[in-house]
Amino acid sequence: MSRELDSPVQTQMAVAVPNGPCTGEYHVSTRTEGKPAGRRRVFVQTETGCVLGMELDRSDNAHTVKRRLQLALNVPTEESSLTFGDLILNNDLSAVRNDSPLLLTRNCLHRSSSTPCLSPTGKNLQQRDQSGPIEILGRFGRLARINELVKDIVTAVKHGVDPIPVHSGLGGAYYFRNKKGESVAIVKPTDEEPFAPNNPKGFIGKALGQPGLKRSVRVGETGFREVAAYLLDRDHFANVPATVLVKITHSVFNVNDGVNGNKLHNRKKVSKIASLQQFIPHDFDAGDHGTSSFPVAAVHRIGILDVRIFNTDRHAGNLLVRKLDGVGTFGQVELIPIDHGLCLPESLEDPYFEWIHWPQASIPFSEDELEYINNLDPARDSEMLRMELPMIREACLRVLVLCTIFLKEAAIFGLCLAEIGEMMSREFRCNYEEPSELEVVCLEARRILADREVIVLDAEGGEQEFQFDLDCEDAEVDMPPKLSRDYLKKGSSQNGFKGVPGRNPLSRLDECSEEDEIEVDGGLGWDQFQNVAKLSISMKKVGLGERNLWNYGGIPKGARAGGGTSSGNRRSANEQLAATTSFVTLADMSEEEWNLFLERFKELLYPAFANRQSATLRQRQRLGSSCQF
């Protein structure tokens, strides 16, 4: 039986290496051109990180792949499954694209005794890895700068310039150099990530595919996210360095082999799947210098990317700073964001945005930035990632769609970057972690969908004939009219709801009594205002404005491993805190439910934005009055 999902095993695992040497130059995906139709090249990775590249014919199936692995790598394949992202390949391999990485994992349950023996037989199944020192996975070989970068590395390796291990961080990483000895790329093998079997720094105990440093980011899948962040940085807007997924072979990589003690003289060449990112020379990182000199545009662009990809680990250490006006002076600087392995989680978590309290984040977006945000297309981005990174999980793509819609609507409403980041971040209150304002809106959207399903069932049974019940004791009427989606869109174009100058009528629901008068401007009719107010009351049940974690099983702060934080209530993944709860999951919805959820989500955003805007105004008023001389 395989180990439990979250129980770490403190024993090291031995890793087999290919029998044949890896020769030849680097290769790109164009290697399949001119081959018979149906032939594909795939890269199969075992749980311990060993990788084998193989050619597949149209007639090949999962059993054939396992037999080749057993023969070439001398690894057991019984009671194992071949997976491709979310898909378990029981037999048919038609869904697998060229240059795709597959994963051989152990099953949680034993198969029946009728499972055939997979002992290798026949010379036609003999497989040797004939790929070169570096082989680019996917279509990235078409990029000229990637090709030149890989050529420089291969040439340097041939001339005896070995990579240098990176001693900082929790995972295995290596600086690859050119012939001059200059670092030109940083390589991070997927099987050397934190908790992965071949982690060189002692953080081991989980298999590839299990929950990792973040529960919603699996071990062995951070490299895919590094590439995704680069692909999503359209027009090099946020300055993410060029990043590709590669199969790379070298003896410098770590193998936790308990038999030979992993001694240097016993090391052999081993192939691994890794992310390869262009190394950008820089002067320091954001933690080594005050942030006040950072350009507003650079902070905004990185923040826009972080919001889109729901970055759960944007701290000062992964923001590189390069001076543009010479050595020894501080004037204009350039920011380079790196380390995006903990973005695009499978469910909403607590993001960490280092820039959230920087003064640049409170400055409104420029016209160019608003135009860039307006041109973002989450459906197009999702389809692009499916084509370029077919192994990426659908839940990650849904997080991308949700966050991009949230960003676009918030920008239209007039929120600044700091307000957007605050709405996405959780807080601690009374020693409990509360869902973020973004999560509250998602929870309300899901509740409405659940009520809709109940109503549909009741209608089919010939019982009640109402749309949905707000289930709210404070409402003065039993069945409120449907909130108009067109009206909500109209409200967003007017930069919020009109009412008392400098105040939001939604925010006054918590502050005024029934006898108080609420002034309503001509742009918002009283009937329409009542509808919005009732919706706000309904959302208050799940905590909008006053988020109530008791309904959603908040986690006591004292129950966590480690009590320190990086910045107030914000946390960095580098602090190795215990995994947080998941208030909102998106993967369990069907395609139809997902589309309906997005519709309700958009409708509920505008009252939430109005509450956030009014809360910000109240805070500014308090701060202003307390600072009078």
Side-chain angles (χ1 to χ4, degrees), residues 341-368:
L342 295 178
C343 71
L344 294 178
E346 294 182 37
S347 61
L348 296 185
E349 287 203 10
D350 186 19
Y352 181 75
F353 300 140
E354 182 80 13
W355 41 259
I356 201 168
H357 298 300
W358 295 358
Q360 296 92 331
S362 296
I363 297 176
F365 291 121
S366 67
E367 291 298 325
D368 291 341

Side-chain angles (χ1 to χ4, degrees), residues 287-570:
D288 297 329
H289 182 63
T291 62
S292 59
S293 65
F294 295 162
V296 174
V299 175
H300 282 191
R301 290 180 174 217
I302 292 172
I304 289 171
L305 175 69
D306 287 341
V307 169
R308 289 174 61 202
I309 64 178
F310 201 84
N311 196 348
T312 63
D313 192 34
R314 171 64 71 214
H315 57 85
N318 54 39
L319 274 178
L320 306 181
V321 183
R322 182 167 60 181
K323 293 182 287 187
L324 300 178
D325 56 356
V327 180
T329 61
F330 283 104
Q332 285 194 342
V333 296
E334 180 183 24
L335 299 183
I336 300 103
I338 60 171
D339 293 345
H340 298 100
L342 295 178
C343 71
L344 294 178
E346 294 182 37
S347 61
L348 296 185
E349 287 203 10
D350 186 19
Y352 181 75
F353 300 140
E354 182 80 13
W355 41 259
I356 201 168
H357 298 300
W358 295 358
Q360 296 92 331
S362 296
I363 297 176
F365 291 121
S366 67
E367 291 298 325
D368 291 341
E369 292 160 357
L370 289 174
E371 182 180 1
Y372 182 87
I373 294 173
N374 182 63
N375 291 332
L376 294 174
D377 186 343
R380 178 190 61 185
D381 290 339
S382 297
E383 189 57 33
M384 179 271 296
L385 288 184
R386 289 190 186 97
M387 293 297 297
E388 301 289 351
L389 298 172
M391 76 295 296
I392 198 166
R393 299 178 186 272
E394 192 65 25
C396 305
L397 299 180
R398 289 187 173 182
V399 169
L400 171 65
V401 171
L402 185 79
C403 293
T404 305
I405 291 174
F406 180 74
L407 171 65
K408 290 170 69 71
E409 299 297 334
I412 292 173
F413 195 85
L415 299 187
C416 65
L417 182 61
E419 292 170 322
I420 295 172
E422 289 170 356
M423 290 188 70
M424 300 176 70
S425 302
R426 296 177 182 176
E427 294 181 359
F428 285 112
R429 290 185 182 178
C430 302
N431 293 326
Y432 279 82
E433 185 179 48
E434 296 184 353
S436 66
E437 293 172 63
L438 172 62
E439 290 174 302
V440 167
V441 174
C442 292
L443 289 168
E444 177 67 2
R446 295 215 65 170
R447 186 193 69 81
I448 293 176
L449 285 185
D451 289 349
R452 174 182 173 274
E453 292 178 359
V454 172
I455 294 162
V456 169
L457 292 176
D458 290 342
E460 291 177 353
E463 297 179 0
Q464 295 173 326
E465 296 182 357
F466 52 84
Q467 256 185 324
F468 59 83
D469 184 4
L470 284 178
D471 194 23
C472 175
E473 297 176 359
D474 298 329
E476 296 181 356
V477 293
D478 293 332
M479 293 303 139
K482 181 180 179 182
L483 184 63
S484 170
R485 185 180 178 189
D486 293 335
Y487 161 70
L488 286 172
K489 290 184 177 179
K490 179 181 178 182
S492 69
S493 64
Q494 297 172 347
N495 289 328
F497 301 96
K498 296 184 178 181
V500 179
R503 304 297 295 273
N504 184 342
L506 292 184
S507 66
R508 295 202 60 185
L509 293 175
D510 300 334
E511 303 173 0
C512 62
S513 62
E514 293 181 357
E515 291 78 18
D516 293 337
E517 292 185 2
I518 301 178
E519 297 179 10
V520 180
D521 229 291
L524 180 64
W526 179 253
D527 293 337
Q528 291 174 320
F529 169 75
Q530 280 186 316
N531 293 344
V532 177
K534 291 165 186 172
L535 177 62
S536 176
I537 294 172
S538 173
M539 296 183 72
K540 189 176 177 181
K541 288 293 184 180
V542 294
L544 185 58
E546 296 292 335
R547 288 170 279 174
N548 185 2
L549 64 123
W550 298 103
N551 296 335
Y552 298 99
I555 296 180
K557 183 179 180 181
R560 300 178 179 278
T565 60
S566 294
S567 175
N569 293 333
R570 316 296 184 200

Side-chain angles (χ1 to χ4, degrees), residues 53-278:
M54 64 176 66
E55 301 284 346
L56 295 182
D57 291 324
R58 187 184 297 274
S59 59
D60 288 336
N61 54 37
H63 297 293
T64 308
V65 173
K66 291 180 181 180
R67 289 182 181 182
R68 292 178 179 176
L69 280 173
Q70 189 177 24
L71 180 62
L73 304 182
N74 193 28
V75 295
T77 57
E78 295 83 1
E79 309 297 339
S80 63
S81 295
L82 202 62
T83 62
F84 177 52
D86 292 316
L87 184 63
I88 298 178
L89 304 171
N90 294 321
N91 192 30
D92 183 29
L93 301 180
S94 60
V96 178
R97 298 195 182 120
N98 185 55
D99 289 333
S100 294
L102 310 180
L103 180 63
L104 184 74
T105 59
R106 285 177 291 174
N107 294 337
C108 294
L109 298 175
H110 288 290
R111 295 179 185 269
S112 64
S113 58
S114 61
T115 302
C117 178
L118 298 178
S119 58
T121 58
K123 294 183 179 180
N124 59 323
L125 291 178
Q126 291 185 6
Q127 177 80 30
R128 287 197 175 197
D129 195 337
Q130 300 297 329
S131 55
I134 302 178
E135 186 156 355
I136 300 174
L137 278 63
R139 301 182 291 179
F140 303 100
R142 298 173 300 180
L143 300 177
R145 58 177 165 174
I146 296 296
N147 278 325
E148 290 300 320
L149 182 64
V150 172
K151 285 180 181 178
D152 290 343
I153 295 173
V154 172
T155 302
V157 170
K158 284 186 174 182
H159 284 79
V161 182
D162 290 328
I164 301 175
V166 179
H167 299 293
S168 60
L170 302 180
Y174 305 86
Y175 290 123
F176 275 71
R177 301 180 288 172
N178 58 18
K179 285 195 303 182
K180 299 178 182 179
E182 301 168 335
S183 297
V184 294
I186 182 168
V187 172
K188 300 178 183 178
T190 57
D191 67 315
E192 297 188 26
E193 297 175 7
F195 302 136
N198 289 320
N199 182 276
K201 299 170 183 176
F203 298 99
I204 60 173
K206 291 189 176 183
L208 300 177
Q210 289 186 320
L213 199 61
K214 294 277 188 176
R215 282 190 56 86
S216 55
V217 177
R218 304 179 191 236
V219 175
E221 297 186 4
T222 63
F224 307 158
R225 290 168 166 82
E226 294 268 14
V227 179
Y230 168 65
L231 293 174
L232 290 170
D233 186 23
R234 291 188 177 275
D235 303 324
H236 211 50
F237 186 73
N239 215 18
V240 178
T243 313
V244 295
L245 201 64
V246 296
K247 174 178 176 280
I248 187 166
T249 305
H250 202 280
S251 59
V252 73
F253 295 133
N254 185 69
V255 175
N256 288 327
D257 190 343
V259 177
N260 59 26
N262 199 25
K263 296 180 181 179
L264 291 177
H265 65 270
N266 288 328
R267 286 194 175 184
K268 300 178 181 179
K269 285 186 177 181
V270 61
S271 298
K272 297 196 175 188
I273 292 177
S275 63
L276 184 150
Q277 184 172 85
Q278 180 184 7

